[in-house]
Amino acid sequence: MDASSRGRIAWRRKLVFSIVVFVVLLGCGYMLSGKFDARSPMASGAQHGAPSLTPSNSEVGRHLENQLSATPEKVGRSGPRSGVESVAPPTGDARQVIAQLRPRAEAGDGRAALMIHLKLHQCANQMSVNVMEDMAERFEKAGASGSQFIVDQQRIRKECESSADMLAEQGKWLELAADSGDVVAQMLYATNSSAFFRSASEMLADPDGVARYKEKANRFMSDLVSKGNVQAMMWYAGAYDKGVMVPKDPARSYAYYRLVEMSAPGTISKELMDNQARKVPSQKIAEADALARTWYSACCKR
């Protein structure tokens, strides 16, 4: 097998892995309130490599600058990066972290705003002691360090002690980051309604707010699809299948799965496609295939 073939296989495996994790994120938010990393099967609480923003650290500025100005990683031939980027909230006392990031975020720095959101999200979704111990046990069974996981989670709890009065702002900063054009923020915006609505009762009490949220999420994801973002295609495939963010439409769900299949061959299994096809009236299969080809010509064909 030549180097080019090996490279294509490696890229395909990486993309399949990232899409699987994105679907998990779609269902449950960013697990464990840790690193958002589409290459990782589980976003652990460990924040290795994240900048420390404690005032006593003489390298705060350089670390922060490196994280905020990191060049987004691209996947495939077309479109912006497809979420294969590791983004973790900075370590350090939450109030101090936010105080240092706030001026940049308010000046329009979308990545700084995303960092604030991730820090607040981390603090708002801390684990209970029982869940922490259960996860540590699972880490040990998987061959990872459960004790280190406990240490990391305890550190997060300590860092978040000062954040109680700021947690309600996490949606504000995520929206600011998404509006700035940050692709990771836009994908998180579309998958994390809990940043804006704390409960189902809040959603029921604010139908106009829910409608605005859905409209903006769709606008972000539609724009990403038009640029060839495969994970945004997967978002629509799932959304039309479930009928939450958009009206339920098995034919359009199937068409988006076909779009993913054309954009990243080998990503969608035959079993999945067959299962989706069974949900579509037979007379609409050809129409859905044609729709997928139209989308592919517009976003991804080279």
Side-chain angles (χ1 to χ4, degrees), residues 31-294:
M31 290 186 66
L32 310 187
S33 304
K35 184 185 297 183
F36 174 79
D37 186 348
R39 294 168 297 190
S40 172
M42 183 174 292
S44 75
Q47 312 292 311
H48 303 300
S52 173
L53 297 186
T54 52
S56 60
N57 188 338
S58 62
E59 296 187 332
V60 163
R62 179 172 62 81
H63 287 315
L64 179 59
E65 190 67 35
N66 287 342
Q67 185 135 350
L68 293 178
S69 62
T71 302
E73 181 179 350
K74 294 186 177 181
V75 174
R77 298 175 301 164
S78 61
R81 67 202 181 305
S82 294
V84 185
E85 182 186 0
S86 177
V87 183
T91 57
D93 177 81
R95 187 168 291 274
Q96 294 175 359
V97 165
I98 293 167
Q100 294 191 49
L101 289 170
R102 185 187 296 272
R104 296 184 68 160
E106 291 178 339
D109 187 329
R111 184 46 59 98
L114 175 60
M115 292 295 186
I116 294 176
H117 163 72
L118 290 174
K119 191 67 178 179
L120 291 175
H121 180 86
Q122 181 184 67
C123 292
N125 293 275
Q126 297 176 62
M127 294 181 184
S128 68
V129 174
N130 289 340
V131 172
M132 189 188 307
E133 291 175 349
D134 179 62
M135 290 303 302
E137 184 177 343
R138 296 186 187 189
F139 270 64
E140 290 289 348
K141 289 180 179 179
S145 173
S147 59
Q148 182 59 52
F149 174 77
I150 293 288
V151 169
D152 290 329
Q153 291 302 310
Q154 290 174 337
R155 171 183 56 76
I156 290 171
R157 294 176 76 86
K158 181 68 175 176
E159 291 177 355
C160 290
E161 289 176 352
S162 64
S163 68
D165 62 331
M166 308 170 74
L167 299 182
E169 296 184 351
Q170 60 170 305
K172 162 190 168 182
W173 297 110
L174 178 57
E175 186 164 19
L176 185 63
D179 285 340
S180 78
D182 189 286
V183 174
V184 172
Q186 289 176 346
M187 290 195 294
L188 294 183
Y189 182 100
T191 61
N192 186 27
S193 62
S194 65
F196 307 96
F197 307 98
R198 289 176 295 182
S199 65
S201 60
E202 278 197 4
M203 289 184 172
L204 291 172
D206 187 11
D208 290 340
V210 172
R212 285 192 298 272
Y213 167 74
K214 288 184 176 181
E215 186 278 330
K216 179 169 276 193
N218 273 279
R219 179 152 39 90
F220 288 145
M221 300 306 271
S222 177
D223 183 61
L224 290 177
V225 168
S226 73
K227 296 173 181 176
N229 187 298
V230 176
Q231 288 184 333
M233 299 172 195
M234 286 295 294
W235 184 88
Y236 272 114
Y240 278 111
D241 187 41
K242 302 301 180 185
V244 177
M245 295 296 287
V246 292
K248 188 177 180 67
D249 189 332
R252 290 183 80 86
S253 174
Y254 173 83
Y256 271 106
Y257 277 117
R258 286 283 291 119
L259 178 60
V260 172
E261 191 176 50
M262 287 186 285
S263 302
T267 299
I268 305 299
S269 70
K270 182 179 184 302
E271 291 76 14
L272 176 56
M273 288 305 306
D274 288 346
N275 181 60
Q276 292 303 123
R278 283 192 289 270
K279 300 178 183 180
V280 182
S282 57
Q283 68 272 20
K284 289 192 173 184
I285 289 289
E287 179 182 331
D289 281 328
L291 185 58
R293 289 193 295 272
T294 298

